[in-house]
Every structure is written in structure tokens, then in C-alpha cells.
Amino acid sequence: MAMSLGFHIIFAMVSMAMPLLMVIAEWQWLKTGQEVYLTVAKRWAKGAAIFFAVGAVSGTVLSFQLGLLWPAFMAWAGPIIGLAFSIEGFAFFTEAIFLGIYLYGWQKVSPNAHLAAGMVVAVSGIISGVVVVMANGWMNTPRGFTLVDGIPSNIDPIAALLNPSGLLQAPHMILAAFAAVGFAVAGIHAFLLLRHPDHPFHQTAFTIAAAVGCISALLQPLSGDFLAKRVAEFQPMKLAVFEGQVHTQKGAPFRLGGIWNSDKEMFDYVLEIPYALSLMLHLDPQGEVQGFKDFPKEHWPPIGLVRTAFQIMVFIGISMMFLALWATCLVFMKKNIFQSKAFLKAMVFATPLGFLATECGWVATEVGRQPWIVVGYVKTAEAVTPMPGLNIPLVFFAGLYTFLAFIVVWLMLRHVAATPGQFEMNPRTNLTALT
Amino acid sequence: MIDLETTLAIALLVSLTFYVLMAGADFGAGIWHLLAHGPSRRDQHHLIGEAIGPIWEANHVWLILIVTILFTAFPTAYAQISVTLHIPLTLLVIGIVLRGSAYAFRHYDIRHDELHVRWDQLFALASLISPFLLGIIIGAITAGSFPISPESFFEGYLSNWLQPFPLAMGLLALVFFAYLAAVYLILETQDSSLQEIFRKRAITAAICAGLLGEIVFFLGQEGASYLWGDMTNSLWGGLIIFGTVVFTVASVRFLFTRHYWWARTCAILQVILTIWAWGLAQFPYLVPPYLTIYSASSPAITLQFMVIALIVGACLLFPSLYYLFRIFKEDSILGLKHAPKKPADT
Ligand code: HDD
Ligand code: HEM
Ligand code: HEM
């Protein structure tokens, strides 16, 4: 399940963010009439289509796997949180329908209708992302029911959906998708710009993707900070693990790095910034931060893994923010951004970072929740399917996903290699070549 | 007033009907892709690829809707089905993944080379196994009697679906989908030689489907005795059997006389009748003999929200679907161009 999700999430992110990029490009085309914008939009659409399809099928795997792997969890949680998935179902419908129109309708509907279809795809993709992340938030901060004799009663699906974690997780996830995809696309075009510095196609594509990526990357740490405060409020132990806070402390420092030593039950090699953590969480350098040793040991998640994953995410988040600031400076100083080789190289380097941060963020969130599947109510071990021999499908799916990932990467390489030459900028050849 | 449980059960059945009529035909098209041969092989492949391109993702979502309704409204049944039918469900999911991915890899690739043949083969193969498994799963659910505390691996995870009845249902689904696809494809092309090819195939598939249907009926008396006992002995059961036979015969006749639009209408009606007859026979059971739509349902408040969500969703969905099909399938659905050209013209 975690594996399927980790796989699905990459494709889901592309499906959430790419429509926005395509819509921007197409809108620019309608506004300026410059053919290069249309070429960019079409090129992106062609590449993103693969991600849409694989995203859809891997999502289908998930909706079955919820039952296949966690039957008891679903029987328990279905009535409470299933509404979210029903809303998601209709969002998928809208997305799939208008995606069909977007991908195949270039010549069949008017340009405005086509652009509108793209917008519907973008919005419904975002809605499905929001709803499913809210459902995940519910597992962190379960709401909307009371337990009577071990059975959830007085169910309120709306309250369950609008749970405190989910409300902040959702914007963080959406920003993550825009940041990661924006940087990835910009990185690819930056790579090609280093080779063909004056290529208008790559310049246009880079500008749009980098703008979306950078704006999101600037907002991301802010949203992460809000989220961390929420975690401190509702899951203090999880936050303590994130921040490496072993003992409860007033005036807690912010810790960088560190390796968990499970014998001594402390972190080795930590770098401390005094009072910073208390300041961040409580806006007060003397504020008290709970340590995870205050909690029973059998409720600890795997500490080293969760902390490392969290650190990587934050580190990447800060790096992306600095890249975005760099870009902002270049723009404000009216420098030609394409002339700065160093900046382009940094962007190339950043291509996979957003996706890496996302995977790490999810590991932190999900593994940080262990041993609970629904915090405080159901343990993961109680919810798993009774079927023996689960390793076989697990290994098989791992193989399948590796295979698919390999193919997608390879197809993308081919896709990138087939840079539109000057002649393809001609609208006529262009139409036949790209639709 | 019908109650909430029944309303949601009807929603399930409606979704299943749409899934079979639309995605089923996509699977069927994949089967014909596999069986395509002769000098026009490439044209057949091209026709199939074009026909399902814009719509297959939307068609596929019906399945997701079915799964979501099931796990929100009838979570106990969902959990039970997922445990007992773990193996065929997993295989089905794999089939769906391979099919969708192979199609995407083939059609959205920027270059064209021999590797595309491999994707096509994978696509076609996956189109073959998925409907078979879907039929098996529906058959096993119909037969019911899932083990509560199984003694052995075989009893718990294999014995319920490795039975003649579910396997026959699997075959029936396969042939049915192929039949639907062939009938649709005739109306997707204007090339009369292609039309002739799919006409012959549609006739063959229709006859096979009719025969298999009878076999399934026969096996069902034994294999799914809870439900089919009623069906074969009652008046409405007789009417339904009679109805499907009439539609099959009518559809084949229209195929012979090249009234393709009518042939397709009859095929669709036949499928709808079969599914709804099954649904009626199943009512109120989800998995007989223990789980009914009442015993397996969520609390009323969840069901109310579900119904509201479905109504709002449907108001968005159907106009959008209409728009999609109007853009891409106007000719083939309204049958404007179904008058075949003479072979000499082409
Ligand atoms: C591009 C990706 C990305 C980047 C740059 C960041 N994050 Fe993040 N973060 C995610 C992508 C992500 C995520 C994968 O999307 C998570 C997992 C669960 C969720 O809702 O979002 C997440 C979760 C997550 C959580 C856990 C929430 C929970 O357990 O309920 C916290 C506290 C933060 N983030 C905080 C931050 C901070 C302080 C960042 C500062 C720089 C940051 N994130 C950058
Ligand atoms: C990219 C996204 C995600 C990743 C990488 C991810 C990863 C993980 C990991 C690593 C675990 C812990 C496994 C263990 O310690 O045994 C886990 C648990 C779980 N996650 Fe996620 N998760 C993601 C998103 C989600 C979402 C969106 C949901 C539900 C809506 C979800 C549902 C669960 C459940 C039910 C568990 C408990 C079962 C388990 O341990 O696997 N996850 N996930
Ligand atoms: C981190 C969490 C998740 C996010 C952000 C997310 C987001 C998305 C998005 C944007 C899509 C549309 C992609 C496309 O059409 O290609 C999608 C597809 C899908 N997702 Fe997820 N998802 C997440 C987790 C899940 C989970 C836990 C499930 C299981 C119930 C799931 C089920 C699906 C399904 C069934 C589809 C396919 C819909 C279709 O056919 O178009 N997703 N997801």
C-alpha cells in the first residue's frame, strides 16, 4: 500500500500541476498569438498524457488495495471517511472527461472551449488531491464520531472530512505538487537551454514552469510551518520525533542532522541552534516543547527513519526556497535569466528534488503515525488482511512498478530528446506532428 | 419511497451497467485487437486505437465509482469480498494497470517504432484477462457462501471462485464484451470492408454469447442456487430469459440485414436486461446468504450523505459525459453515417 501510494503520488502530482502549466501556456497563446506558446502547450500535453494514464491506473490499484490489504480498517473507517472518496470519484470523472477533450479535442472544439476544458482538468485534479489528503489527515486527527462499545457511532462525515490536520495538509500537498512539478519541468528545459541557449521553445517553457515552481517554493516553508504547529498541537510525540526532541525542555533548540542511537536513546552528532524550536512553535524562546520520552515506548514510531525523512524534506524545502529567491533577484535586477549559467545549472540539479521531498514528507507523516493506522483508535497490525503469503503480491507489484517507472522515464527521455526543431514551429507541420 | 439502502444498491447497478456498456466495449476492442488478422490488420488496429482514445479514461472511472460506493455504503461486504476474492481481484487490478499503461505508452509516445507492437500485444493480452476475471468475480459473488473461518488456504481463498459457475461467468463476460465492441466498431468506421469484418465477428460473438448465456443459466441452478432457483421457476424469470433471447435473435438479424444502428440498440438492451435481471435476482443480497444490503450497510447518516453526493455528482457528470460524447462520438452514436459505401468507392 505504501509502495503503491509512493508510486501513485508522483503521477498524481504531475496530474495536478501539469494542467495548470499547459493552461498558462495556451492562455498566453490566445492572448499573444505567438505560435511558440501553442507548441509548448501541445508538447507538454503529449508528455503529461502518459502520466495521466499511469496515474489513473495506479490510483485504481489503490482503491482496490484499501480493501485487499486493510479490510478491517475499511470496514471500520468506510462509513466515516468514505464520503471523501465518493467526492473524489466524481472529481476523477470530471477530470477524465475533460482530459479526453483536452488531449484529443485540439481540432474539434473552439480554442476557448479547449482552454476551458484544460481549466476544468486543472481544478478537478486539485480537488481530488485535496479530498484524498483530507482523508489522510483524518487518520492523524480522527474526528466526526464517538466510540460506543468499540463501534464508531454518532458519525458525522463532514466533521471527519474537515479535520484539523487535513485542512493544513491539503494546501501543503498542493503546493508541493506545484513546486515539485514546476521545478522538474523547469529543470529539464534548463538542461536543454544549456545546450541550445537561444532556443525560444525552451525559453518559453522554462519561464512558465519556473514561475509556477518558484512561487510555490516560496510559499511552501510557510505552509510547512503552519503544519508543524498543528502537529505540535495534536500529535506532540510525532513532532518531537521530527525535531529530535528527546526530553521535554523549555527553550528548546532547533536541531540539524543527527543519527539516532537506539542503545543510548539519544541522537549523536547534532548541530543545535539555541532556542530556535521554541521560538518557531510558540513565538517564545522559553516555550516548552514536549519530548517523545514522555510517551510510552511502545507508541514510538521508528525514530531514525521518521527524523531523517523529515530533515531531508525541510532541507530540500529551504534549498528550493533559496533557488526561488535567486530567480527573483535575477528578475528584479533585470538580468537575462537565460544568460546565468550558474542558475540554470542549479535548476538542472534541482529537477528531482521536489519529488524526493514529497516522498520524504509522506514517510515522515505516515511512518510517524505508526503504530497507529487511525491515531488513538486502530493499530496498523489489527487492520491488515488475514490472507497469508502477502509477500508474493507485494514483490510482484514492486516489480511491476519498477518496470512501469523505467518505461515512463525512458519515454520521457525520448520525448525530451525530440526537441521541436525550428521547422516544427511552423503551425502547419506542427499540427500534424503533435496531435 | 424506496429506502436509502436500495437507492444506493440501484446506484451500484447503474454504475455497473455503464461500466459494462462503455468500458466493457473498450476491453472488447482490445480482444479484437488481439484477434485482428488479414490484409486490413493495420487498419483494424488503427480503428480500435482511434475509437477508444478520448473516452477510455472516463469509461474506466465507473469502476472506481463502484468500488467507492461499495466501501462507503456497504463496508462489511467490501471487506468480505476483498478477503475471500483477494486473488482474482489482485489479478484484475494487475490486468487493468497493464492495459492502461500499455495503451498510454503506445499512443502517447513521441516516436514510432517496432516497440509499439509489443505494447499493442500487452494491451491486447491484458484486455483478454481482465474481463475474464471480472466475470469470475461477479460470478463468485453471486454464488456467495463465503467461508467465515476457513480451515485451509484453498477453502478460504480459492474454492469460492475456482468453480464451474464463476469460470463460466468469466467466459461469458469475455464474449459479451467482444460482442459489444464489434457492434460498436461497425458504427465507428465508414470503410465498408472493415464494417464487413466486424459484422461477421459480431454475429459470431452474438451466437457464442447466446449459447454461453444458456450454459451459465444451467450452471447457475447448481452453482448459485440461492438466487437462480427463483429465477428459473418464476414468471418474471421466464420473461427475462425470453427477452434476452429475443434481443439476441433480433440483433443477429439486424446484423444480417446491415441495420447496424438497430443491431447495436438490441445488443445494448440485451446487456441491460441481463444485468438488471441479475440485480433483481440478487436483491437484497450482496453476498448471499449472510450479507444483504441491510445487514452490510453503513449508518443512515453516511448513506444520506452518499445519496446527496451521488445526486450532486450525477448532475455534474451526465452533462459532462454528454458533452464528451457529442464531441467525439456524434456520428457513430446518432448513426448519421452508417449507410455503408460500396467497396468499389474506397
Ligand atoms: C515539495 C515538497 C515539500 C517541501 C519542499 C516541503 N514539504 Fe512538508 N510535506 C510534503 C512536501 C513538502 C508532503 C509530501 O506533501 C507532506 C506529507 C503529508 C502532507 O500533507 O504533506 C509533508 C508533510 C509535512 C509535515 C507533516 C504533517 C503531518 O505529519 O501531519 C510537516 C510538519 C511539514 N511537511 C513541514 C515542512 C516544512 C517546515 C518545510 C520547509 C521547508 C516543508 N515541509 C517542505
Ligand atoms: C505518497 C503518499 C504516501 C506515502 C509514500 C505513504 C507511505 C506510507 C508508509 C511508509 C507507511 C508506513 C508503513 C509501515 O510502517 O508499516 C504508511 C502507512 C499507511 N498509509 Fe500511507 N503514505 C502515503 C499517503 C497515504 C494516503 C493518502 C493514505 C490514505 C488516504 C494513506 C494510508 C495509509 C494507511 C492506511 C497506512 C497504514 C498501513 C501501513 O502501515 O501501511 N497513506 N504509508
Ligand atoms: C497523497 C495522496 C493522493 C493524492 C494527492 C492523489 C491525487 C490524485 C490525482 C490528482 C489523481 C488524478 C490523476 C489522473 O487522472 O491521472 C488521482 C487519481 C486516482 N487516485 Fe489518487 N491521490 C492520492 C492518493 C490516493 C489514494 C489513497 C487512493 C485510494 C483510494 C487514490 C485513488 C485514486 C484513483 C482511483 C485514481 C484514478 C482516477 C482516474 O481514473 O482518473 N488516490 N489521484
Side-chain angles (χ1 to χ4, degrees), chain A residues 9 13 133 136 140 165 168-170 172-177 179-180 217 220-229 231 235 238-239 242-243 280 310 313-318 320 353-366:
Chain A
I9 191 89
M13 283 164 81
V133 173
N136 178 270
N140 285 325
S165 273
L168 285 184
Q169 268 181 263
H172 194 62
M173 176 74 233
I174 300 301
L175 283 175
Q220 186 74 347
L222 200 67
S223 133
D225 182 51
F226 285 136
L227 190 52
K229 293 197 172 80
V231 178
Q235 300 170 277
K238 191 181 195 179
L239 190 91
F242 283 173
E243 304 292 357
M280 274 162 62
F310 185 75
M313 170 181 69
V314 174
F315 178 73
I316 293 178
I318 308 279
M320 284 166 74
L353 288 188
F355 291 108
L356 192 64
T358 308
E359 295 289 356
C360 288
W362 277 107
V363 168
T365 313
E366 296 288 302

Side-chain angles (χ1 to χ4, degrees), chain A residues 60-61 63 67 79 86 104 414, chain B residues 60 78 97 108-109 113 302 306:
Chain A
T60 313
V61 176
S63 58
S86 321
Y104 291 85
R414 273 160 61 111
Chain B
H60 170 84
Y78 177 71
V97 170
Y108 305 131
D109 191 5
D113 55 25
T302 307
M306 270 303 276

Side-chain angles (χ1 to χ4, degrees), chain A residues 296-316:
Chain A
K297 201 171 170 181
E298 69 267 19
H299 286 178
W300 290 3
I303 294 187
L305 176 63
V306 174
R307 161 118 178 116
T308 313
F310 185 75
Q311 290 263 298
I312 296 178
M313 170 181 69
V314 174
F315 178 73
I316 293 178

Side-chain angles (χ1 to χ4, degrees), chain B residues 50-198:
Chain B
E50 294 282 297
I52 68 180
I55 52 170
W56 76 267
E57 272 202 57
N59 291 348
H60 170 84
V61 184
W62 289 106
L63 180 65
I64 293 158
L65 198 64
I66 294 173
V67 175
T68 12
I69 298 179
L70 199 62
F71 76 54
T72 312
F74 308 110
T76 339
Y78 177 71
Q80 179 72 63
I81 293 170
S82 304
V83 173
T84 307
L85 300 180
H86 189 111
I87 295 170
L89 280 169
T90 306
L91 294 174
L92 173 69
V93 166
I94 292 172
I96 290 175
V97 170
L98 285 179
R99 173 172 169 279
S101 314
Y103 183 83
F105 294 161
R106 160 75 173 78
H107 286 267
Y108 305 131
D109 191 5
I110 199 102
R111 277 198 238 150
H112 296 272
D113 55 25
E114 20 5 302
L115 200 72
H116 284 185
V117 179
R118 293 270 166 273
W119 297 135
D120 274 344
Q121 285 168 345
L122 191 61
F123 163 76
L125 198 70
S127 301
L128 194 66
I129 57 171
S130 306
F132 183 53
L133 287 160
L134 191 74
I136 290 183
I137 289 161
I138 293 181
I141 293 173
T142 310
S145 312
F146 286 179
I148 310 261
S149 47
E151 309 258 285
S152 65
F153 186 82
F154 177 80
E155 192 192 334
Y157 303 101
L158 295 172
S159 66
N160 273 85
W161 56 278
L162 278 181
Q163 298 280 352
F165 174 67
L167 293 176
M169 282 284 275
L171 279 182
L172 181 65
L174 203 61
V175 177
F176 241 133
F177 289 178
Y179 166 41
L180 273 179
V183 182
Y184 292 178
L185 281 170
I186 301 175
L187 287 154
E188 290 280 342
T189 178
Q190 302 207 55
D191 178 335
S192 59
S193 61
L194 281 181
Q195 285 187 334
E196 283 307 303
I197 290 174
F198 284 107

Side-chain angles (χ1 to χ4, degrees), chain B residues 35-54:
Chain B
L35 297 180
H37 56 85
S40 64
R41 189 158 174 262
R42 285 187 65 101
D43 295 336
Q44 295 174 32
H45 285 172
H46 187 71
L47 172 65
I48 290 166
E50 294 282 297
I52 68 180

Side-chain angles (χ1 to χ4, degrees), chain A residues 141-159:
Chain A
T141 46
R143 289 289 175 283
F145 65 97
T146 46
L147 220 50
V148 179
D149 300 332
I151 299 168
S153 316
N154 303 324
I155 291 173
D156 180 354
I158 301 285

